[in-house]
Amino acid sequence: QVQLVESGGGLVQAGGSLRLSCAASGRTFSSYAMGWFRQAPGKEREFVAAISWSGGSTYYADSVKGRFTISRDNAKNTVYLQMNSLKPEDTAVYYCAAGSSWYPKGISGYDYWGQGTQVTVSS
């Protein structure tokens, strides 16, 4: 069992930056691929970014490529999402997720989910 707790969300102006963190419980964090997803009001949850067990592979949605960076610190059981050049369309609840397989874009590839953190980007 893995419990995930996101933090770092908030209100920011367009063009600004935020760093989200996701702290995981348990001693097997390094055996999980980690992903970030987001869900805007009235829309389906969508993939944002993913990182492999060791951090050697990363994968991004086209909409955030070049602006967002995912990273992880296995010693701290934490995954991060650095978000730069934020746009109003990035406004959503952001969720982190843990998966035992490498299926980065698919919601079904993740076994555990956090409760989410709100990110609001004003124009």
Coordinates of all heavy atoms in Angstrom, one line a residue, residues 27 37 51 55 64 81 112:
R27 N 8.2 2.0 2.1 CA 9.6 1.8 1.9 C 9.9 1.4 0.4 O 11.1 1.1 0.1 CB 10.2 0.8 2.8 CG 10.1 1.2 4.3 CD 10.6 0.1 5.2 NE 9.7 -1.1 5.2 CZ 10.0 -2.2 5.8 NH1 11.1 -2.4 6.5 NH2 9.1 -3.2 5.8
F37 N -1.1 13.9 -13.1 CA -2.3 14.1 -14.0 C -3.0 15.3 -13.5 O -2.7 15.8 -12.4 CB -3.2 12.9 -13.9 CG -2.7 11.6 -14.5 CD1 -1.7 10.9 -14.0 CD2 -3.3 11.2 -15.7 CE1 -1.2 9.7 -14.6 CE2 -2.8 10.0 -16.4 CZ -1.8 9.3 -15.8
I51 N 7.6 9.7 -14.7 CA 9.0 9.4 -14.5 C 9.2 8.0 -14.0 O 8.4 7.4 -13.3 CB 9.6 10.4 -13.4 CG1 11.1 10.3 -13.4 CG2 9.0 10.2 -12.1 CD1 11.8 11.4 -12.6
G55 N 14.2 7.3 -12.3 CA 14.3 8.7 -12.8 C 15.0 8.8 -14.2 O 15.1 9.9 -14.7
V64 N 2.6 20.4 -22.1 CA 3.5 21.0 -21.1 C 4.9 20.8 -21.4 O 5.8 21.3 -20.6 CB 3.1 20.3 -19.7 CG1 1.7 20.4 -19.4 CG2 3.6 18.8 -19.7
L81 N 7.0 18.2 -9.5 CA 6.6 18.8 -10.8 C 6.9 20.3 -10.8 O 6.1 21.0 -10.1 CB 5.1 18.5 -11.1 CG 4.7 18.9 -12.5 CD1 5.4 18.0 -13.5 CD2 3.2 18.8 -12.7
Y112 N -2.1 3.7 -7.4 CA -2.4 4.5 -6.2 C -2.4 6.0 -6.6 O -1.6 6.4 -7.5 CB -1.3 4.4 -5.1 CG -1.1 2.9 -4.7 CD1 -0.1 2.2 -5.1 CD2 -2.0 2.4 -3.8 CE1 0.1 0.9 -4.7 CE2 -1.9 1.1 -3.4 CZ -0.9 0.3 -3.8 OH -0.7 -1.0 -3.5

